[in-house]
Amino acid sequence: MTVGVYSPSKSLFTLHSSNATAGSDTVIPFGTFGDKPVIGKWNLN
Amino acid sequence: MKTFIARSLFLFSLSVAVLVAACDSDVPPTEKSQPSQPADLAPPARFNGATPGVFRPSASAFALLKTLKLEPGHDTVVFGHSGEIPVAGDWDGSGSTRVGVYQPNDRTFRLLVGARPGSPVTIVKFGAIGDLPLAGDWDGNGTATAGVYRPSDSTFHLRNGNGADEKEIVIKFGEKGDLPIAGDWDGNKSWTIGVYRPGTNTFFLRNSNVAGQPDLTVKLGLLRIFQFPAIGTETA
């Protein structure tokens, strides 16, 4: 697992590709004002 | 001013506390995605099926992305109430992550043990006023259990079972202003602690749940530094 952050002001997830400073970021815009982030393997279907 | 800082920090803490992503190591860099062009987002394969979701207090529901792209969309799970903090974990060893919420007023976790509303709910009373909730598979047995981070003395309190008399593992880690995070950083199945230091945009991670120096230090890109202070501006 690797770290990431969520920016509430932009409703933007930034998922880092490694647990080192070096690495790439995957940026995913999702959510709306007031949302709070979670992450997981949901497998709802 | 104090109130403003506390409020900003609180809102911010809700946002980064539990955000981790499963990911293969040593992946090559890819092109940065543009937020305005969802179709260009990076392919999902790199993150082992873990995808983001959000808890929307105004709707008392979770919106969980199906992939790392905005299409084919998200699933909605109605659960939780305004004022609660979301958590997520594999509560029953099903192999899938389920949602849960923490009610700070009465320090109670409610964990949805199933994919849909109406599934059984596990209730865990745990924590003190001001604690921030966590969840993780601390002993690597395949099921996630509750934990809290106590900012007042920078301690993690972890439980390996959800019973009321479950023993607490207490670990001092981090410093004032840090926000907690947990994940299986080294891929050994056991989830371990970490903190995020907003001031320097840096994560400090442990590979075991005992006190000690950070095993991993991850400083995110400069761009992020300018994003987080904006949160304070918004809540002013």
Side-chain angles (χ1 to χ4, degrees):
Chain A
M1 290 183 184
T2 51
V3 297
V5 292
Y6 183 65
S7 172
S9 62
K10 300 186 180 207
S11 300
L12 200 68
F13 284 86
T14 301
L15 308 180
H16 199 59
S17 67
S18 75
N19 282 327
T21 297
S24 60
D25 291 333
T26 296
V27 179
I28 304 166
F30 186 57
T32 189
F33 184 78
D35 285 358
K36 300 174 174 68
V38 287
I39 204 153
K41 299 180 187 182
W42 311 116
N43 298 328
L44 262 64
N45 300 312
Chain B
M1 187 61 187
K2 268 187 182 169
T3 306
F4 162 71
I5 292 170
R7 226 167 104 215
S8 303
L9 183 60
F10 181 64
L11 287 173
F12 182 60
S13 72
L14 302 182
S15 306
V16 299
V18 294
L19 180 52
V20 297
C23 175
D24 294 330
S25 57
D26 301 319
V27 292
T30 58
E31 286 185 7
K32 281 261 176 81
S33 304
Q34 296 301 316
S36 58
Q37 298 174 322
D40 292 333
L41 286 173
R46 303 189 304 132
F47 290 94
N48 285 342
T51 58
V54 292
F55 173 57
R56 189 157 299 156
S58 59
S60 297
F62 286 77
L64 309 173
L65 270 182
K66 294 178 177 178
T67 71
L68 289 181
K69 298 181 181 181
L70 291 185
E71 297 297 336
H74 64 267
D75 289 304
T76 299
V77 178
V78 176
F79 192 69
H81 300 98
S82 184
E84 295 181 333
I85 304 170
V87 292
D90 182 357
W91 315 128
D92 60 355
S94 66
S96 298
T97 312
R98 306 306 187 195
V99 299
V101 289
Y102 184 69
Q103 171 53 259
N105 292 338
D106 60 4
R107 278 82 70 198
T108 302
F109 287 85
R110 289 191 300 125
L111 312 176
L112 185 66
V113 188
R116 298 292 179 188
S119 300
V121 175
T122 297
I123 294 173
V124 187
K125 205 161 170 59
F126 184 24
I129 290 174
D131 285 358
L132 298 171
L134 297 164
D137 184 2
W138 316 120
D139 57 3
N141 73 346
T143 62
T145 45
V148 295
Y149 184 66
R150 193 155 298 160
S152 58
D153 62 0
S154 303
T155 54
F156 285 83
H157 299 250
L158 312 179
R159 288 182 178 182
N160 280 319
N162 288 324
D165 54 354
E166 195 67 35
K167 188 182 163 198
E168 281 184 25
I169 301 163
V170 181
I171 311 138
K172 193 167 176 62
F173 189 67
E175 59 185 48
K176 197 171 175 61
D178 286 354
L179 303 168
I181 190 169
D184 179 10
W185 315 124
D186 59 2
N188 74 346
K189 307 294 184 194
S190 297
W191 288 46
T192 51
I193 58 170
V195 294
Y196 176 67
R197 194 157 297 162
T200 57
N201 212 23
T202 305
F203 289 88
F204 300 93
L205 311 177
R206 289 283 293 153
N207 279 329
S208 59
N209 287 322
V210 295
Q213 293 299 310
D215 293 302
L216 299 159
T217 300
V218 189
K219 187 173 171 65
L220 295 189
L222 281 173
L223 176 63
R224 302 280 88 78
I225 289 177
F226 299 104
Q227 288 196 344
F228 294 121
I231 298 163
T233 304
E234 276 186 358
T235 55

XYZ file of all heavy atoms in Angstrom, chain B residues 55 62 79 81 83-87 100-111 124-134 146-148 150:
287
model
N -17.243 9.716 1.836
C -18.430 9.748 2.688
C -19.036 11.129 2.566
O -18.329 12.127 2.756
C -18.065 9.457 4.150
C -19.214 9.635 5.096
C -20.398 8.930 4.920
C -19.120 10.514 6.163
C -21.468 9.092 5.793
C -20.183 10.683 7.051
C -21.360 9.968 6.855
N -22.102 6.769 1.352
C -20.788 6.657 0.737
C -20.964 6.567 -0.777
O -21.887 5.903 -1.262
C -20.066 5.389 1.210
C -19.556 5.464 2.623
C -20.414 5.317 3.700
C -18.201 5.660 2.877
C -19.945 5.374 5.008
C -17.725 5.721 4.182
C -18.587 5.581 5.247
N -25.216 4.889 4.452
C -24.755 4.506 5.786
C -24.103 5.711 6.437
O -23.411 6.485 5.782
C -23.736 3.349 5.685
C -23.419 2.705 7.007
C -24.370 1.943 7.672
C -22.167 2.860 7.601
C -24.085 1.342 8.892
C -21.879 2.270 8.824
C -22.843 1.508 9.464
N -24.064 9.120 9.396
C -24.810 10.349 9.629
C -23.852 11.534 9.615
O -22.651 11.386 9.812
C -25.519 10.290 10.990
C -26.489 9.160 11.100
N -26.174 7.957 11.706
C -27.768 9.038 10.659
C -27.214 7.156 11.645
N -28.192 7.778 11.021
N -21.719 14.445 10.830
C -20.959 14.549 12.068
C -20.104 13.327 12.342
O -19.304 13.333 13.280
N -20.281 12.284 11.550
C -19.485 11.083 11.749
C -18.279 11.071 10.794
O -18.282 11.733 9.764
C -20.359 9.836 11.541
C -21.459 9.760 12.609
C -22.341 8.536 12.486
O -22.493 8.010 11.366
O -22.896 8.113 13.511
N -17.272 10.296 11.179
C -16.038 10.223 10.410
C -15.976 8.842 9.752
O -16.169 7.833 10.433
C -14.813 10.435 11.327
C -14.930 11.768 12.073
C -13.519 10.387 10.517
C -13.889 11.951 13.168
N -15.705 8.772 8.459
C -15.700 7.466 7.799
C -14.442 6.656 8.098
O -13.368 7.222 8.293
C -15.756 7.835 6.312
C -15.087 9.166 6.233
C -15.443 9.878 7.520
N -14.624 5.341 8.144
C -13.492 4.408 8.176
C -13.802 3.321 7.151
O -14.928 3.221 6.656
C -13.280 3.771 9.575
C -12.812 4.807 10.583
C -14.543 3.078 10.066
N -17.531 1.976 7.295
C -17.922 2.149 8.681
C -17.856 3.622 9.020
O -17.405 4.441 8.219
N -18.367 3.956 10.190
C -18.297 5.353 10.634
C -17.925 5.394 12.114
O -18.138 4.426 12.863
C -19.637 6.114 10.430
C -19.910 6.364 8.950
C -20.795 5.362 11.075
N -17.366 6.530 12.512
C -17.030 6.776 13.915
C -17.788 8.008 14.365
O -17.724 9.053 13.700
C -15.526 6.994 14.071
C -15.068 7.168 15.497
C -15.113 6.114 16.392
C -14.565 8.387 15.941
C -14.665 6.252 17.702
C -14.109 8.543 17.255
C -14.166 7.470 18.128
O -13.718 7.608 19.424
N -18.538 7.876 15.448
C -19.276 9.007 16.007
C -18.444 9.572 17.154
O -18.315 8.943 18.214
C -20.646 8.530 16.501
C -21.421 9.543 17.301
C -21.579 10.878 16.592
O -20.861 11.837 16.886
N -22.486 10.948 15.625
N -17.832 10.750 16.949
C -16.940 11.310 17.979
C -17.660 11.637 19.284
O -17.051 11.572 20.347
C -16.394 12.587 17.338
C -16.685 12.457 15.883
C -17.905 11.603 15.764
N -18.950 11.992 19.213
C -19.656 12.412 20.430
C -19.743 11.306 21.467
O -19.592 11.547 22.656
C -21.059 12.906 20.088
C -21.015 14.198 19.297
O -20.015 14.924 19.359
N -22.052 14.468 18.529
N -20.008 10.077 21.016
C -20.072 8.978 21.984
C -18.972 7.941 21.749
O -19.045 6.840 22.278
C -21.455 8.325 21.991
C -21.831 7.742 20.645
O -20.998 7.777 19.725
O -22.961 7.238 20.520
N -17.984 8.323 20.947
C -16.800 7.483 20.705
C -17.197 6.063 20.320
O -16.795 5.080 20.933
C -15.873 7.460 21.928
C -14.951 8.665 22.027
C -15.603 9.866 22.628
N -15.860 9.685 24.045
C -16.714 10.418 24.735
N -17.411 11.371 24.145
N -16.878 10.200 26.017
N -18.008 5.963 19.286
C -18.495 4.650 18.877
C -18.285 4.421 17.382
O -18.642 5.275 16.554
C -19.999 4.520 19.199
O -20.180 4.733 20.604
C -20.525 3.152 18.828
N -17.659 3.270 17.082
C -17.563 2.831 15.691
C -18.826 2.035 15.353
O -19.317 1.247 16.174
C -16.372 1.878 15.510
C -15.022 2.513 15.561
C -14.389 2.733 16.780
C -14.348 2.859 14.397
C -13.123 3.289 16.834
C -13.082 3.413 14.443
C -12.465 3.637 15.667
N -19.323 2.219 14.143
C -20.350 1.332 13.598
C -19.809 0.804 12.268
O -19.570 1.569 11.332
C -21.682 2.059 13.392
C -22.372 2.404 14.726
C -23.806 2.869 14.535
N -23.836 4.059 13.693
C -24.555 4.172 12.580
N -25.289 3.166 12.152
N -24.532 5.284 11.882
N -19.550 -0.494 12.209
C -18.899 -1.106 11.059
C -19.919 -1.943 10.294
O -20.532 -2.862 10.855
C -17.733 -1.985 11.534
C -16.782 -1.337 12.557
C -15.730 -2.338 13.014
C -16.135 -0.079 11.976
N -18.541 -0.814 18.152
C -17.344 -0.834 18.989
C -17.217 0.501 19.691
O -17.024 1.535 19.033
C -16.066 -1.087 18.151
C -14.865 -1.278 19.066
C -16.237 -2.277 17.217
N -17.339 0.515 20.992
C -17.174 1.760 21.755
C -15.703 1.871 22.130
O -15.158 0.996 22.821
C -18.058 1.716 22.992
C -18.421 3.091 23.498
C -19.642 3.035 24.413
C -19.857 4.373 25.101
N -20.052 5.482 24.172
N -15.069 2.919 21.694
C -13.609 2.952 21.799
C -13.132 4.385 21.589
O -13.571 5.062 20.664
C -13.035 2.021 20.721
C -11.536 1.862 20.733
C -10.783 2.073 21.864
C -10.874 1.473 19.582
C -9.407 1.907 21.863
C -9.497 1.298 19.565
C -8.772 1.518 20.699
N -12.229 4.826 22.448
C -11.620 6.129 22.226
C -11.990 7.139 23.293
O -12.781 6.874 24.200
N -11.376 8.309 23.176
C -11.609 9.416 24.102
C -11.938 10.655 23.276
O -11.746 10.672 22.055
C -10.373 9.644 24.961
N -12.423 11.682 23.941
C -12.757 12.913 23.229
C -11.526 13.446 22.507
O -10.442 13.529 23.090
C -13.315 13.966 24.215
C -14.695 13.526 24.694
C -13.389 15.341 23.573
C -15.281 14.414 25.766
N -11.689 13.776 21.241
C -10.586 14.300 20.451
C -9.843 13.259 19.650
O -9.002 13.602 18.815
N -10.122 11.979 19.900
C -9.438 10.919 19.154
C -9.883 10.909 17.693
O -11.018 11.243 17.372
C -9.762 9.548 19.758
C -9.018 9.294 21.061
O -8.234 10.164 21.476
O -9.226 8.225 21.652
N -8.974 10.483 16.833
C -9.283 10.296 15.420
C -9.313 8.803 15.120
O -8.429 8.065 15.540
C -8.221 10.987 14.552
C -8.131 12.501 14.735
C -6.907 13.054 14.011
C -9.397 13.166 14.208
N -10.344 8.330 14.404
C -10.489 6.884 14.190
C -9.583 6.346 13.088
O -9.226 7.056 12.149
C -11.949 6.769 13.762
C -12.234 8.058 13.066
C -11.425 9.107 13.795
N -9.250 5.063 13.240
C -8.459 4.323 12.254
C -9.058 2.937 12.138
O -9.807 2.503 13.008
C -7.023 4.118 12.750
C -6.101 5.277 13.011
C -4.943 4.776 13.841
C -5.606 5.818 11.695
N -10.544 -1.930 14.909
C -10.532 -0.492 15.154
C -9.248 -0.018 15.830
O -8.521 -0.784 16.479
C -11.744 -0.119 16.015
N -9.005 1.247 15.679
C -7.918 1.918 16.378
C -8.250 3.398 16.464
O -9.169 3.869 15.788
N -7.537 4.096 17.312
C -7.686 5.555 17.354
C -6.308 6.187 17.513
O -5.366 5.551 17.984
C -8.588 6.036 18.524
C -10.028 5.554 18.344
C -8.033 5.606 19.868
N -4.632 9.538 19.321
C -4.922 10.571 20.319
C -3.954 11.726 20.119
O -2.790 11.675 20.560
C -4.786 9.957 21.716
C -5.345 10.793 22.850
C -5.717 9.893 24.028
N -6.764 8.944 23.635
C -7.033 7.798 24.283
N -6.343 7.463 25.345
N -7.996 6.993 23.851
